[in-house]
Amino acid sequence: EKEDLLQQLQLDRLADGYDYKEKWDNDKERFYIIESLVEGIIDKHHIKTVIETEPRPQLYYFNRGVYRPKADGIIQKEIRACLGTHAKNRWVSEISGYIRGKTYIHEDEFDTDPDWISVENGLLNIQTLELKPHSPAFLTRVQLPVKYDEEAECPRWLKFLEEVIVLAGTEVDEEYSAKMGTLQEIAG
């Protein structure tokens, strides 16, 4: 629904005779334009502003399972797409300020659950190996550049472990299996 606000603003701009300068000078219309842009952009890109970043709070946007820095450019692009040539620099700055103010979070709100990590194809629980879809509700700025595949096998790794653990002529037993499991867990 909030993305519809952005689309409506774009359609209004394209409509014949729609004058944002006139609308901006009317306080009620100006509030509608600002609120529509702010809510639409936040909802579409899941903007977060980290208070503790220096020299000023850093804006992040959610993209492919991870919060990425430098959302300022995306925000400006959306504002200019909606307002077109009417997007004065002071208007862009004012709207960006509203977005920043509505999305403040603290640094420690990211990566609060150590059992979950973001990988290219979803969120992976490292305890249960459950894979679930990415979600902007999981606040992370870190993503491993791998795809989790529960069916994957690592024959070279297993061969290496076998060479390291099993001495020539030694039979595979429970102790061997336990050592293999321990080394695999240590290596990740």
Side-chain angles (χ1 to χ4, degrees), residues 2-101:
K2 292 184 181 172
E3 278 190 44
D4 293 340
L5 293 172
L6 292 177
Q7 291 173 348
Q8 186 58 49
L9 285 173
Q10 287 177 336
L11 292 174
D12 288 347
R13 178 177 61 81
L14 298 173
D16 213 12
Y18 195 83
D19 184 2
Y20 271 105
K21 170 76 173 98
E22 182 182 310
K23 301 283 186 193
W24 198 264
D25 291 339
N26 176 319
D27 286 342
K28 186 176 178 183
E29 292 289 336
R30 180 175 175 217
F31 177 77
Y32 168 75
I33 293 167
I34 290 172
E35 191 65 23
S36 297
L37 279 166
V38 167
E39 293 301 321
I41 291 169
I42 290 171
D43 193 56
K44 181 177 179 181
H45 297 286
H46 307 281
I47 304 294
K48 301 293 180 198
T49 306
V50 177
I51 296 170
E52 294 88 356
T53 50
E54 295 294 332
R56 67 182 192 150
Q58 176 71 51
L59 287 152
Y60 289 83
Y61 66 103
F62 185 76
N63 185 6
R64 295 184 314 241
V66 66
Y67 279 88
R68 300 176 190 278
K70 302 181 181 173
D72 303 80
I74 287 173
I75 292 169
Q76 287 185 24
K77 181 179 175 186
E78 289 285 1
I79 295 168
R80 293 187 189 285
C82 288
L83 300 182
T85 58
H86 302 287
K88 307 290 183 224
N89 286 338
R90 65 184 170 94
W91 296 1
V92 172
S93 179
E94 183 176 348
I95 294 166
S96 294
Y98 279 108
I99 291 171
R100 193 179 298 277

